Structures are given as C-alpha cells and as structure tokens.
C-alpha cells in the first residue's frame, strides 16, 4: 500500500519560514520524482517545486529564491524549505510521487498572516 504523509505546515507571519516533509512508503522512493503542489481556496492546484530521481529541480517563478526542495532517499522523504513566506503562499500543500503512476498525499495547511 502506497502512502505519502505530509507534515510541517502551520500558521506563521509573513517573512517567517516553514519546512514541509513528505514521507513515502510502499514505493521505491529513489525512482520517483517528488513534487510539491499547493491549492488555495477557489484556485487551481499549482506545481510549486519538483525534484527528479537524479536531483534535477524545478521551481515555479513565484517561489524561486525563497523555496528549496530536497530529498533524502535513505529516509524516503522529500522536503520543502519555505523562507520569506508571503500571504499569497497560504494554501494546502500536497506532495506527489510521480513515475509511471502518480501518488498523492493528503496535504498540510500553511497559513501566512501579515
């Protein structure tokens, strides 16, 4: 059974930082690209960052220079370090493991106040 569990969300003030984690089980983690998406109320889900199985990274323009995605294959965990958070970063953050099949976590809430 495949399971992805996100954690690390919370409520912060603008300018502060959070580190999200996504722990995977039931997959050969090192073979999967790991993705962080976010979805705010009334908005479409958007890709925030991706790290491939060979550690190539992609960031949405809105988070470049502020967010860093990383992975620890030994721990089957992907991370999203989020610095200089803005109110517009508030959303539910979800991780996705992508290969021939995609698997999603349930998400973790990030709230950013001014």
């Amino acid at each position: 059974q495949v399971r992805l569990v996100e954690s690390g969300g919370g409520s912060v003030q603008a300018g502060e930082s959070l580190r999200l984690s996504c722990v995977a089980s039931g997959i050969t983690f090192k073979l999967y690209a790991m993705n962080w998406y976010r979805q705010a109320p009334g908005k479409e889900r958007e890709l925030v960052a991706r790290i491939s199985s060979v550690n190539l990274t992609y960031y949405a323009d809105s988070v470049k220079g502020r967010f860093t995605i990383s992975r620890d294959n030994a721990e089957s965990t992907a991370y999203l370090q989020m610095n200089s958070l803005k109110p517009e970063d508030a959303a539910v953050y979800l991780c996705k493991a992508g290969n021939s099949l995609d698997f999603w976590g349930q998400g973790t809430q990030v709230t950013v106040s001014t």
Side-chain angles (χ1 to χ4, degrees):
Q1 180 182 1
V2 179
R3 193 169 183 222
L4 276 68
V5 179
E6 301 95 334
S7 63
S11 184
V12 297
Q13 293 193 327
E16 294 184 340
S17 300
L18 283 173
R19 189 192 195 203
L20 306 184
S21 299
C22 172
V23 180
S25 58
I27 59 172
T28 305
F29 182 80
K30 64 180 181 181
L31 299 181
Y32 281 75
M34 296 302 297
N35 306 265
W36 284 99
Y37 284 77
R38 66 186 180 190
Q39 188 162 21
K43 294 188 177 181
E44 292 190 356
R45 187 172 293 183
E46 64 169 336
L47 176 63
V48 174
R50 172 186 291 137
I51 185 166
S52 75
S53 59
V54 293
N55 289 331
L56 296 175
T57 57
Y58 161 86
Y59 297 95
D61 287 343
S62 57
V63 306
K64 279 181 183 176
R66 300 188 298 123
F67 290 12
T68 303
I69 190 170
S70 61
R71 64 189 299 156
D72 183 338
N73 289 341
E75 297 295 328
S76 297
T77 302
Y79 301 98
L80 186 67
Q81 177 68 43
M82 306 188 297
N83 298 331
S84 303
L85 282 161
K86 303 176 181 180
E88 53 263 42
D89 294 319
V92 175
Y93 282 72
L94 306 103
C95 71
K96 183 185 82 171
N99 198 313
S100 54
L101 294 175
D102 293 339
F103 301 100
W104 290 86
Q106 293 298 308
T108 185
Q109 179 73 50
V110 172
T111 304
V112 185
S113 58
T114 55

